[in-house]
Amino acid sequence: MNNVFKILLAAAAICLLWLCYDSITTPIKFNDQRDYREKEVIARLVEIRKAENEYRIIKGCYAADFDTLMYFLHNEKAQRVLKVGELTDKQLESGLTEKKALKILAAGGKEDKATYQELVAMGFKRDTTFVSMMEAVYGEGYNESVIDSMRYIPFSHPRQEFALDTATITTGSAGIKVKVMECKADYTSYLKDLDKQQLINLVETQTKLEKYAGLKFGDVENANNNAGNWE
């Protein structure tokens, strides 16, 4: 019996040590994985925000759904002005503007030969071209397949789309109407396969603090210039 008791005591000690170890390492592992995943989610939210801000500039409102936003990126063109050469201080002081300079160049110097020769010598020109909206928003190195998948929340299983919403709110004593939007992903969408108790604790903490339990930018109730809650 004495040996059995010793064996049971040793087993209990090992179990206790494992529980202590697990109680320390589980939150660490959860937070490490959360940090890793949130970097991916934030990167996706930033991509969406860039597209929505450009849509707002051109259309005067935000895209209310991803189909509309994707159509915009695939089919709209953005105007670019290639600028070569800058007017000198002397030219500006004499009253020469870019508009006048372009007019002189277009006329071949008939109106002002001296200025025309100066502009030609400095290689002054302004050319307007049109590029795809994807290139305008994300640069020449954009990956079309990555942009097409930006509507989906990384690490979500099954795959889920970010929640996207738009609204018009009234602000200030003057009653100014403002277009607003928000895009978000709750913790459960990209952390649900991790430790359940840690996830519950995280959600409860954010709820008690009256904060959104996840990652988001913008707000349909308050105009915040599309700030992200991670910033």
Side-chain angles (χ1 to χ4, degrees):
M1 287 294 293
N2 190 41
N3 288 335
V4 173
F5 179 75
K6 288 181 179 179
I7 292 171
L8 290 174
L9 189 62
I14 292 172
C15 183
L16 184 61
L17 284 172
W18 183 87
L19 289 173
C20 291
Y21 173 80
D22 187 62
S23 68
I24 295 171
T25 58
T26 296
I28 294 174
K29 290 178 181 177
F30 179 86
N31 288 327
D32 285 346
Q33 188 61 217
R34 175 192 167 191
D35 290 343
Y36 169 72
R37 295 187 181 192
E38 289 198 335
K39 287 179 181 178
E40 296 292 322
V41 177
I42 289 170
R44 198 67 58 87
L45 284 168
V46 170
E47 290 174 349
I48 296 169
R49 183 166 61 183
K50 286 180 180 178
E52 282 284 8
N53 285 340
E54 193 66 25
Y55 189 96
R56 173 77 169 85
I57 291 170
I58 294 174
K59 303 291 187 179
C61 62
Y62 293 107
D65 57 74
F66 282 107
D67 287 341
T68 301
L69 193 60
M70 289 299 105
Y71 184 88
F72 170 74
L73 290 173
H74 279 286
N75 295 283
E76 293 282 348
K77 297 291 183 181
Q79 181 176 302
R80 278 187 175 176
V81 178
L82 175 65
K83 301 181 70 173
V84 178
E86 295 292 339
L87 297 178
T88 64
D89 290 340
K90 183 178 179 181
Q91 289 171 325
L92 291 170
E93 289 170 2
S94 69
L96 185 65
T97 64
E98 288 199 356
K99 186 176 181 179
K100 289 180 180 179
L102 292 173
K103 186 177 180 181
I104 291 170
L105 285 171
K110 292 179 181 179
E111 298 177 359
D112 189 336
K113 189 172 183 180
T115 302
Y116 173 80
Q117 291 175 340
E118 288 179 1
L119 293 170
V120 170
M122 64 193 295
F124 184 89
K125 66 177 179 178
R126 299 290 185 265
D127 288 335
T128 300
T129 58
F130 291 88
V131 298
S132 72
M133 190 57 66
M134 279 196 184
E135 181 178 333
V137 175
Y138 302 109
E140 295 181 359
Y142 72 91
N143 184 315
E144 190 168 328
S145 63
V146 172
I147 301 306
D148 285 343
S149 64
M150 74 180 182
R151 65 169 70 192
Y152 300 110
I153 303 170
F155 308 104
S156 60
H157 303 288
R159 194 165 64 168
Q160 299 178 44
E161 287 190 0
F162 286 94
L164 185 62
D165 197 11
T166 62
T168 300
I169 63 173
T170 302
T171 63
S173 57
I176 299 173
K177 293 188 179 299
V178 179
K179 302 286 186 182
V180 293
M181 69 155 297
E182 69 178 20
C183 185
K184 59 189 179 182
D186 60 53
Y187 289 134
T188 304
S189 65
Y190 59 90
L191 299 176
K192 71 176 182 179
D193 59 322
L194 301 182
D195 186 85
K196 288 181 172 52
Q197 188 56 54
Q198 293 299 315
L199 178 55
I200 290 171
N201 294 344
L202 177 61
V203 172
E204 286 183 349
T205 298
Q206 292 297 96
T207 302
K208 288 178 181 177
L209 294 172
E210 297 183 350
K211 294 182 178 180
Y212 177 65
L215 290 168
K216 64 176 286 189
F217 73 82
D219 196 304
V220 291
E221 295 183 358
N222 300 286
N224 68 353
N225 200 32
N226 289 339
N229 65 349
W230 65 89
E231 295 172 317

